[in-house]
Amino acid sequence: AEHQHIRYNPLRDDWVLVSAHRVKRPWQGQLEKPPPEDVPRWDPKNPLCPGTTRANGEVNPQYEGTFVFPNDFPALQPDAPEPDDSDHPLFQAAPARGVCKVMCFHPWSDLTLPLMSLAEIRAVIDAWAELATELGASYPWVQIFENKGAMMGCSNPHPHCQVWASSFLPNEARLEDRSQRQHLSQHGVPMLLEYAEQEARRKERLVVENVDWLVVVPYWATWPYQTLLLPRRHVCRLQDLSEGERDSLASIMQRLLIKYDNLFEVSFPYSMGWHGAPTGPYLEEDCRHWQLHAHYYPPLLRSATVRKFMVGYEMLAQVQRDLTPEQAAERLRSLPEVHYK
């Protein structure tokens, strides 16, 4: 807790430098603006609100629950041409095709997930699973992710996420596929299933838990209050969850996100996303080495206005954190589960 050391991340096969004493240093650097508290419930100029017009001229329906539509500015398109052949191994390119969708969680712009009801969160989970099934029928990877807050690059305060399906396995998916496959081969048990059982027993990094799920600050966390959401049983994909597991997932997500907001009494920014077994052609393959999980990466370190920057040493050497995962977990664990608002 007081001395620097490095910790191994078996999921990515890399290391993180833990320097807990650095959090005590005075800060005279960048101060972020807290998120606005006066977001209007409905704004005629907001392209994600019900009944408003998006950039491509389409008018949103008067939706009352979740709403999914094609991204008007997609990073991936289904009909992209093949790149030219490379004339040298140092200059390689490969085809990249896919589909990008946007999913609004709720018709109200002033609601975030921790402020939504359990039934509304459950509807989001069901929509995630439906999209994972639909897009995963043909695409090898379906990435569900949410960027929450302007600090994490979100350009619209309306509660929403994105879903990108790609014709290739992205870098993080390849890393996790390789490491989990190797662990199962060597130890006979899925890595993250074994890890969840260990963390449930040790409890020092546990944040919240219920009968089906647990949330921990992982032993190898890089961001200050990073968490890992894990099922207790072996589940390969989001769409494989039972009805009961979806209900308990809604509950544990709400509990975690309330704690996040309560930490600095602000709508807590983060990037989160689901990782599960690849789909498309991989549906016919043995993917037992995979365990479903969700990553939460929040940037805030000391307060609502002081964030962790991944620069310098982190970019040129390896990632470094300024408090131990155990300290972060203890602080999150001790927070109330009633929202500060």
Side-chain angles (χ1 to χ4, degrees):
E2 296 296 329
H3 302 285
Q4 69 269 13
H5 58 282
I6 58 175
R7 296 190 183 191
Y8 180 60
N9 179 348
L11 197 55
R12 301 190 76 257
D13 188 27
D14 63 10
W15 294 79
V16 56
L17 172 62
V18 182
S19 310
H21 55 284
R22 274 173 54 84
V23 79
K24 300 175 184 177
R25 76 191 192 281
W27 182 260
Q28 295 181 327
Q30 172 73 24
L31 296 179
E32 308 294 335
K33 290 183 179 180
E37 295 282 345
D38 56 347
V39 176
R41 180 156 292 181
W42 185 85
D43 182 349
K45 297 179 181 179
N46 188 326
L48 298 187
C49 284
T52 60
T53 303
R54 302 203 307 274
N56 63 357
E58 291 191 23
V59 177
N60 296 331
Q62 294 290 345
Y63 65 92
E64 298 181 353
T66 60
F67 170 50
V68 178
F69 61 92
N71 194 315
D72 296 329
F73 302 96
L76 292 164
Q77 296 176 326
D79 53 358
E82 296 269 344
D84 293 335
D85 292 334
S86 173
D87 61 356
H88 193 281
L90 293 179
F91 302 91
Q92 296 187 49
R97 299 183 179 93
V99 172
C100 297
K101 293 181 179 289
V102 176
M103 188 180 106
C104 295
F105 295 154
H106 196 279
W108 295 355
S109 293
D110 58 345
L111 274 192
T112 55
L113 280 170
L115 296 173
M116 290 166 55
S117 70
L118 288 177
E120 289 167 337
I121 299 173
R122 168 63 197 266
V124 170
I125 293 166
D126 287 340
W128 281 342
E130 185 176 335
L131 281 170
T133 301
E134 173 194 333
L135 297 174
S138 52
Y139 286 103
W141 190 255
V142 180
Q143 184 58 65
I144 298 167
F145 66 97
E146 178 193 6
N147 294 324
K148 180 170 178 268
M151 200 181 301
M152 295 308 290
C154 183
S155 59
N156 193 306
H158 194 94
H160 71 285
C161 73
Q162 298 188 56
V163 184
W164 294 10
S166 62
S167 61
F168 55 91
L169 287 188
N171 293 339
E172 293 297 312
R174 286 182 178 274
L175 279 173
E176 292 195 0
D177 184 70
R178 185 177 63 203
S179 62
Q180 290 180 96
R181 186 185 299 275
Q182 186 176 42
H183 187 92
L184 180 65
S185 174
Q186 292 177 350
H187 302 281
V189 61
M191 176 197 293
L192 291 181
L193 183 62
E194 181 178 8
Y195 179 68
E197 291 170 351
Q198 285 288 321
E199 289 287 31
R201 181 173 61 83
R202 295 169 186 255
K203 297 193 181 300
E204 58 187 332
R205 285 170 294 275
L206 190 65
V207 178
V208 288
E209 63 178 330
N210 61 26
V211 65
D212 297 312
W213 300 87
L214 68 158
V215 175
V216 300
V217 177
Y219 179 78
W220 53 80
T222 57
W223 293 94
Y225 292 97
Q226 174 181 336
T227 55
L228 184 63
L229 172 58
L230 295 162
R232 292 185 183 271
R233 77 171 177 97
H234 187 203
V235 184
C236 287
R237 299 177 178 91
L238 189 65
Q239 52 268 44
D240 297 335
L241 296 175
S242 68
E243 293 291 314
E245 286 168 334
R246 295 185 187 196
D247 286 339
S248 56
L249 175 56
S251 173
I252 205 163
M253 282 176 54
Q254 185 188 62
R255 293 168 64 195
L256 170 65
L257 298 179
I258 285 174
K259 283 180 178 287
Y260 269 160
D261 280 9
N262 285 346
L263 179 60
F264 299 128
E265 295 195 347
V266 69
S267 185
F268 206 69
Y270 58 74
S271 285
M272 71 80 64
W274 284 99
H275 283 172
T279 48
Y282 294 89
L283 292 171
E284 303 301 321
E285 296 188 8
D286 184 359
C287 290
R288 287 176 299 163
H289 55 290
W290 269 93
Q291 174 73 330
L292 176 69
H293 58 283
H295 296 281
Y296 285 83
Y297 298 131
L300 293 178
L301 172 59
R302 299 172 181 231
S303 69
T305 60
V306 178
R307 67 175 297 173
K308 166 70 178 176
F309 288 90
M310 292 290 186
V311 295
Y313 188 86
E314 291 88 351
M315 295 176 71
L316 295 165
Q318 70 181 34
V319 292
Q320 177 269 336
R321 59 179 292 117
D322 297 329
L323 76 165
T324 68
E326 294 76 26
Q327 291 167 337
E330 182 179 13
R331 187 163 185 192
L332 288 172
R333 188 168 54 243
S334 66
L335 291 166
E337 295 185 9
V338 175
H339 200 277
Y340 74 93
K341 283 190 175 182

